Amino acid sequence: MAREWEYVREYEKNNLADLPSRLRMLLLSNLAVYGPDEGVGFEGLRNLLMPPLLENGEAQDFDLGEQNEGFFRLDLSGAIGHSVSFKQLAELVQKPVPATNEQELSWDETLSRSLSPPIPHLTHLSLSHPPPSISWPRLLAFSKHIPTLTHLSLAFWPVPSLTPNAKTAVVQSRFGKDVQYGGTNYYSHSLDNDFREAAEVLRRLAGRLYGLEYLDLTGCSEWLRALRWTGEIGDGDRGLDWGAQWAKLHTLKVFSGLTLEDESEYCDVVRFVQAYKEALATEEMLGWWMRRGKGEGKRSTWIEVLKDDWERYGGLWNGEGTQERKRRALDSLRNREGAVEGWRSPIVFEDEVVEVAVERRSVWEQ
C-alpha cells in the first residue's frame, strides 16, 4: 500500500479510515520509507483519520475520538514541511470550537458533534527529515497543542533558530556599529561557540513538552552543543535547566545519521568522529547534572544517551595513504571513550580549524 500510495489514496480514500488503528499507524511508518518523496500528503492523512465528506461537502456526524481512540502514534517522517504543514497538523490535535450562534446548530446536532480532536490521545510523533526551511517558531506554536506527548523525533532538523533567515542580516545605525538582526550570525557556532538562541528555543520547547520521555536528535550533531550551552557568567543567558526541565526524559538518541563504508570520504569520517564526540560530551554533561547536590538543581532521572557504535567500523581502511588517515581519525575515539573533558567547549580537529579558516576567507573574498 505504501509503494502504491498514489493509487490507494485516490481509489480507497473512502475506506482508509475503517482500517484498524494499528494498521493505519503502521502504514504511515511504511509511507515514510516506501512512499512518495513528499510523504503521505494532508489529504491522504485526513482520509486515514476521518470518514469521507458527504456529497454536499459537509462532514459526517461521527465521533472521531471514538474512531481514533487507539491511534497514538503519528509518523510524518519526510512529510512535515513537504506535504503536511504545522497549520494542517494542528487541525488534527486541536479540540473543535463549538458554534456560538444558536441558529447554526440545533441542540441535538450539538450533542451529536464530537468534542474530541481527530487524534485525542497522541503520544508518539515523528517530524524527522524536514526540508531546510522548516520553522522552529511554528513548531513551538504547535507544541502547545500536544502537552501529553511522550515520544518525539526531530531527526535531521536544522539548528534551532527564531530567525533562521537572518544570519547575515544587520541593522545599520548612525550612532554606532551595525547590530546583528537575528540571534545568530554566520560565525556564531563555528567560531564564537555562541548557542544562546538555539538554547533559548530548546528551553521554550522543553517548557511546553514537559512530559517527554524519549527524544530523537539523530543527525543533529552540529547543534548538540545547544543542549549543554550555559552562557557566560553574568550575561543573564541560560541554557536548558536539566535539573527541572524534561524531568521525565529517560532516552536521548543522538546518532550521527552517517553510515561509514570503505569508500567513504575523509570528510565524512571526520564528521562521524565529531558527531560521536559531541554525543560523548552531551552524555558527560547529563552525568554532571546527576552528580550535583540536592540544593543545586540535581537531576533525579537518569537519561540513557544512544549513540553510534564506532567499533563496528574497526575492519575498514587498513591500507596506506588516505585510508591510514581515515583510520587515525576513527582511532582517536579510543582515547576519548568515557573521558570527554570540557563539555562546555567546542570539540574540533586541527583539520577542521583549517577548513573553517579557508571557508571564512572565501566568504570575505566574495
Side-chain angles (χ1 to χ4, degrees):
M1 291 179 68
R3 290 193 177 98
E4 304 295 332
W5 178 240
E6 294 182 358
Y7 175 86
V8 172
R9 180 175 56 190
E10 178 65 25
Y11 294 98
E12 298 294 340
K13 59 184 178 182
N14 296 332
N15 304 316
L16 291 174
D18 294 329
L19 291 173
S21 296
R22 179 179 60 84
L23 291 182
R24 287 183 288 156
M25 291 188 295
L26 186 60
L27 176 57
L28 283 172
S29 295
N30 277 270
L31 279 167
V33 180
Y34 305 107
D37 294 338
E38 69 275 8
V40 58
F42 182 67
E43 181 181 355
L45 180 60
R46 190 183 184 285
N47 291 335
L48 277 168
L49 298 170
M50 306 178 187
L53 299 176
L54 299 175
E55 293 183 358
N56 58 6
E58 296 182 358
Q60 299 186 36
D61 290 336
F62 202 79
D63 191 345
L64 295 176
E66 181 179 349
Q67 170 73 8
N68 298 320
E69 181 71 23
F71 196 101
F72 61 89
R73 188 181 71 243
L74 184 60
D75 192 343
L76 295 179
S77 303
I80 190 67
H82 289 287
S83 59
V84 179
S85 67
F86 278 114
K87 182 179 180 181
Q88 294 170 332
L89 191 56
E91 297 177 10
L92 304 178
V93 296
Q94 282 182 288
K95 291 184 179 181
V97 179
T100 57
N101 190 343
E102 296 180 356
Q103 297 180 352
E104 291 184 11
L105 294 175
S106 66
W107 177 253
D108 293 337
E109 289 176 329
T110 302
L111 290 178
S112 65
R113 292 293 178 93
S114 173
L115 297 180
S116 300
I119 308 179
H121 305 298
L122 182 65
T123 59
H124 294 57
L125 176 64
S126 176
L127 302 175
S128 69
H129 296 81
S133 59
I134 196 70
S135 171
W136 279 92
R138 290 178 182 175
L139 171 62
L140 291 175
F142 168 73
S143 62
K144 67 181 180 182
H145 302 301
I146 49 174
T148 59
L149 202 69
T150 60
H151 292 63
L152 175 64
S153 174
L154 297 178
F156 297 96
W157 268 61
V159 179
S161 176
L162 298 174
T163 53
N165 299 322
K167 287 185 178 181
T168 58
V170 295
V171 177
Q172 295 182 347
S173 173
R174 57 193 179 95
F175 300 104
K177 64 179 182 179
D178 295 344
V179 179
Q180 178 68 30
Y181 176 78
T184 302
N185 61 42
Y186 193 80
Y187 302 111
S188 290
H189 301 156
S190 59
L191 296 181
D192 299 334
N193 191 33
D194 182 3
F195 281 84
R196 72 182 68 235
E197 183 183 25
E200 176 60 26
V201 174
L202 294 177
R203 278 181 62 86
R204 296 186 188 183
L205 185 66
R208 295 182 176 181
L209 301 181
Y210 47 83
L212 275 190
E213 301 174 8
Y214 178 99
L215 179 60
D216 181 5
L217 297 181
T218 295
C220 302
S221 57
E222 64 176 308
W223 54 267
L224 279 187
R225 256 171 282 172
L227 294 176
R228 56 184 194 268
W229 192 82
T230 58
E232 300 295 335
I233 298 177
D235 65 358
D237 291 318
R238 296 178 300 164
L240 278 163
D241 183 359
W242 287 100
Q245 293 186 298
W246 278 334
K248 297 181 180 180
L249 191 69
H250 58 69
T251 303
L252 179 62
K253 187 177 179 181
V254 288
F255 287 96
S256 65
L258 297 170
T259 301
L260 299 182
E261 300 175 348
D262 195 57
E263 297 79 12
S264 296
E265 298 291 337
Y266 174 73
C267 60
D268 292 330
V269 180
V270 170
R271 287 172 56 206
F272 176 88
V273 174
Q274 173 78 354
Y276 189 86
K277 291 184 177 182
E278 292 287 352
L280 282 180
T282 303
E283 189 174 41
E284 184 199 353
M285 175 270 297
L286 294 173
W288 177 81
W289 279 93
M290 292 293 297
R291 295 189 296 270
R292 299 186 75 184
K294 291 184 178 180
E296 300 174 350
K298 176 181 179 180
R299 183 174 180 83
S300 58
T301 305
W302 176 258
I303 299 178
E304 181 182 6
V305 178
L306 304 181
K307 52 188 182 297
D308 293 287
D309 178 14
W310 65 271
E311 294 184 350
R312 62 182 290 200
Y313 302 115
L316 298 179
W317 314 308
N318 294 318
E320 299 178 351
T322 304
Q323 290 204 348
E324 184 179 2
R325 193 182 180 201
K326 297 177 187 177
R327 167 57 48 192
R328 285 201 308 269
L330 192 65
D331 286 345
S332 66
L333 295 177
R334 298 185 187 277
N335 300 325
R336 306 286 291 189
E337 180 71 35
V340 177
E341 299 178 356
W343 49 264
R344 296 179 179 84
S345 304
I347 305 171
V348 296
F349 290 100
E350 293 181 0
D351 294 316
E352 289 181 296
V353 175
V354 174
E355 291 174 2
V356 170
V358 172
E359 180 183 4
R360 186 168 188 175
R361 184 183 63 189
S362 64
V363 171
W364 285 341
E365 290 174 350
Q366 292 175 6

